[in-house]
Amino acid sequence: MVVKSIRGRRRYLACTVPSGTNRDEVIALFEESASEIPQLKVITSFKGEAVIRCSPGHEEAVTEVLRSRWPESESVLSSGTLRALRDKRPELKVQRRHKR
């Protein structure tokens, strides 16, 4: 059984945000639009880039919300998997948590 048939497809977007913008600030920006953009989640935000998950077809809506707050923001890259996105842009990789 394919997992996508149960939960649906997802898109991961790498977007520019102002330097120093943390994940909580990006989450607060999307609180009002969360009901309009399915499967919306802010994965990370550091070094002037944020990784955001959404449903396919809603990538432009995510970019518009970002531009409403930060006009210079733009979508740099999108991918169907988080791993592929981070492979294409290694600076988006985060340290892996080790299980105890």
Side-chain angles (χ1 to χ4, degrees):
M1 181 181 330
V2 179
V3 175
K4 286 182 244 179
S5 65
I6 296 171
R7 68 159 166 77
R9 294 186 178 272
R10 297 175 177 177
R11 297 300 291 171
Y12 293 89
L13 304 173
C15 302
T16 59
V17 293
S19 283
T21 304
N22 63 25
R23 183 173 178 260
D24 293 333
E25 291 174 305
V26 180
I27 290 172
L29 176 64
F30 283 105
E31 282 182 350
E32 295 175 5
S33 330
S35 61
E36 299 168 12
I37 305 171
Q39 296 185 13
L40 180 70
K41 182 175 181 180
V42 178
I43 308 296
T44 60
S45 179
F46 60 94
K47 296 182 184 175
E49 290 198 56
V51 176
I52 303 166
R53 181 184 75 203
C54 67
S55 293
H58 292 88
E59 297 93 338
E60 190 60 35
V62 170
T63 307
E64 287 176 15
V65 171
L66 284 171
R67 285 186 185 150
S68 69
R69 173 82 180 266
W70 302 297
E72 68 279 359
S73 292
E74 62 183 358
S75 177
V76 178
L77 182 67
S78 70
S79 178
T81 64
L82 189 55
R83 178 177 287 172
L85 185 77
R86 288 178 173 163
D87 285 345
K88 292 175 186 172
R89 294 190 59 100
E91 62 272 12
L92 296 175
K93 289 186 180 183
V94 293
Q95 291 291 336
R96 188 174 176 191
R97 294 182 184 172
H98 296 286
K99 295 182 181 179
R100 293 184 183 206

